[in-house]
């Protein structure tokens, strides 16, 4: 008798778990953050506040978001082209504007370390994750079985007082979504998203000192490491030093016989392509 689809899934999950449990553990770094998904078609207050004074023309895409006007241009450019875009917010005022104007954001874990960490922790694997900011909102997005490094010790993740939210605002729109501006209408040719990233740690590939000082401890408890976050680097920071620090950390893991893999190895639209070349070297 043929097995049912549910039975196949159950068997497949059991086999996957068995394979994973044979591994010693996994380290995941570096860019854990909060994703706040905003569905533009239902955010009427935000749309009214953003586009009540729509520009007469879109203009060129800014390098960074330093004003609400930059945010407007970024969103309109993405909708007009139907292309995914991401810009870094460098103004606290813009972050406060979004936070105040958005009615119903969908907060979830962001960044490969947090996303993959949740999945592996739920499968029962020992997981150590680099979480640069452990705010209350960030902790709510993460599985409580995830481990972090504190003072050269591996401990269960918990909220850390004084840490603030690192939010990547994801403005999603569907095909056919329209914005009416003075003299013209912009309609999305396809479904996509615009991301406004408010994150002053992951955008400089920040690695906590406790982790840098505990490479040997991490290496003793994991057999594999999955690394991401280099794509967020921009020319605003000393990206060469940041990459050198991350490479030194990864080489330390390799010296402990940890298998290190990379993901999301893509230069940010505003980054120098040198970032990827330096990393690959």
């Amino acid at each position: 008798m043929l097995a049912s689809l549910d039975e196949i899934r159950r068997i497949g999950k059991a086999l996957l778990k068995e394979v994973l449990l044979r591994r010693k553990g996994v380290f995941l770094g570096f860019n854990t953050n909060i994703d706040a998904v905003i569905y533009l078609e239902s955010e009427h207050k935000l749309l009214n506040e953003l586009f009540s004074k729509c520009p007469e023309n879109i203009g060129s895409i800014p390098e960074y978001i330093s004003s609400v006007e930059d945010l407007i241009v970024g969103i309109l450019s993405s909708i007009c082209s139907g292309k995914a875009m991401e810009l870094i917010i460098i103004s606290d005022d813009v972050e406060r504007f979004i936070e105040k104007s958005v009615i119903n954001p969908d907060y979830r874990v962001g960044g490969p370390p947090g996303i993959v960490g949740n999945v592996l922790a739920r499968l029962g694997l020992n997981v150590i994750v680099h979480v640069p900011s452990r705010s209350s909102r960030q902790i709510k997005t993460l599985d409580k079985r995830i481990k972090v490094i504190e003072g050269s010790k591996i401990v269960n993740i918990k909220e850390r007082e004084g840490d603030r939210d690192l939010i990547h605002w994801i403005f999603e729109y569907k095909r056919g979504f329209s914005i009416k501006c003075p003299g013209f209408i912009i309609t999305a040719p396809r479904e996509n998203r615009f991301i406004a990233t408010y994150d002053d740690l992951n955008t400089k590939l920040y690695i906590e000192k406790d982790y840098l000082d505990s490479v040997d401890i991490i290496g003793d408890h994991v057999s594999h490491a999955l690394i991401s976050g280099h794509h967020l680097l921009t020319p605003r920071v000393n990206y060469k030093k940041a990459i050198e620090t991350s490479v030194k950390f990864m080489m330390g893991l390799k010296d402990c016989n940890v298998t290190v893999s990379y993901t999301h190895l893509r230069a940010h639209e505003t980054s120098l392509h040198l970032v990827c070349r330096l990393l690959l070297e």
Side-chain angles (χ1 to χ4, degrees):
M1 185 171 121
L2 291 175
S4 67
L5 184 57
D6 287 342
E7 182 68 8
I8 293 172
R9 285 174 176 161
R10 187 191 65 77
I11 295 171
K13 185 175 180 180
L15 288 173
L16 176 60
K17 183 174 181 179
E18 182 181 348
V19 170
L20 288 173
L21 288 175
R22 289 176 185 167
R23 299 176 185 270
K24 195 174 180 182
V26 177
F27 170 76
L28 299 156
F30 299 105
N31 58 316
T32 306
N33 62 267
I34 300 166
D35 280 351
V37 182
I38 301 164
Y39 304 99
L40 281 176
E41 69 273 10
S42 62
E43 287 287 345
H44 303 297
K45 179 184 176 185
L46 174 67
L47 293 174
N48 287 336
E49 295 195 16
L50 274 177
F51 302 113
S52 58
K53 296 180 180 178
C54 205
E56 293 184 3
N57 56 73
I58 297 178
S60 58
I61 301 171
E63 190 173 8
Y64 304 99
I65 299 175
S66 59
S67 65
V68 174
E69 288 71 26
D70 290 338
L71 176 65
I72 293 171
V73 171
I75 293 175
L76 290 177
S77 299
S78 177
I79 294 172
C80 182
S81 64
K83 293 181 179 179
M85 295 183 184
E86 181 174 8
L87 295 176
I88 308 298
I89 299 173
I90 59 173
S91 164
D92 293 342
D93 289 340
V94 174
E95 163 68 9
R96 284 191 288 267
F97 169 82
I98 298 173
E99 187 92 51
K100 177 183 61 122
S101 303
V102 173
I103 300 296
N104 191 32
D106 180 8
Y107 293 110
R108 57 182 71 168
V109 67
I115 295 170
V116 177
N118 276 352
V119 173
L120 296 183
R122 288 163 189 163
L123 286 170
L125 198 66
N126 293 321
V127 182
I128 302 172
V129 180
H130 183 263
V131 185
S133 185
R134 298 171 206 163
S135 66
S136 174
R137 184 176 282 163
Q138 179 73 80
I139 296 304
K140 289 176 182 176
T141 70
L142 293 165
D143 191 284
K144 301 304 179 287
R145 289 163 288 191
I146 283 174
K147 303 292 194 298
V148 294
I149 301 294
E150 281 188 4
S152 299
K153 293 181 180 180
I154 300 172
V155 299
N156 290 325
I157 192 168
K158 62 181 183 295
E159 181 181 348
R160 187 166 56 191
E161 187 176 352
D163 282 12
R164 63 190 183 84
D165 296 337
L166 305 176
I167 301 183
H168 297 207
W169 297 97
I170 302 172
F171 299 87
E172 293 201 344
Y173 53 85
K174 295 180 179 179
R175 178 183 179 185
F177 176 77
S178 294
I179 296 290
K180 187 174 182 180
C181 297
F184 63 97
I185 297 176
I186 291 177
T187 302
R190 65 185 63 84
E191 179 178 337
N192 224 317
R193 54 174 49 183
F194 172 78
I195 304 174
T197 295
Y198 183 71
D199 184 342
D200 64 342
L201 294 181
N202 289 314
T203 52
K204 56 187 177 188
L205 196 61
Y206 170 75
I207 306 173
E208 292 199 316
K209 187 175 185 299
D210 281 351
Y211 286 76
L212 295 174
D213 294 341
S214 304
V215 176
D216 292 344
I217 294 172
I218 297 171
D220 285 342
H221 288 81
V222 305
S223 58
H224 291 72
L226 184 63
I227 302 298
S228 65
H230 297 83
H231 69 292
L232 288 170
L233 282 168
T234 77
R236 285 176 58 86
V237 302
N238 188 338
Y239 55 85
K240 185 173 182 179
K241 182 178 179 181
I243 290 173
E244 288 173 349
T245 300
S246 70
V247 169
K248 182 180 179 181
F249 178 87
M250 290 184 283
M251 293 305 296
L253 290 178
K254 287 185 176 182
D255 288 342
C256 296
N257 295 317
V258 175
T259 300
V260 179
S261 302
Y262 311 93
T263 184
H264 222 149
L265 199 59
R266 173 183 58 83
H268 187 276
E269 284 78 0
T270 59
S271 300
L272 298 178
H273 292 296
L274 182 60
V275 168
C276 281
R277 186 168 66 81
L278 284 171
L279 179 62
L280 291 171
E281 288 174 354

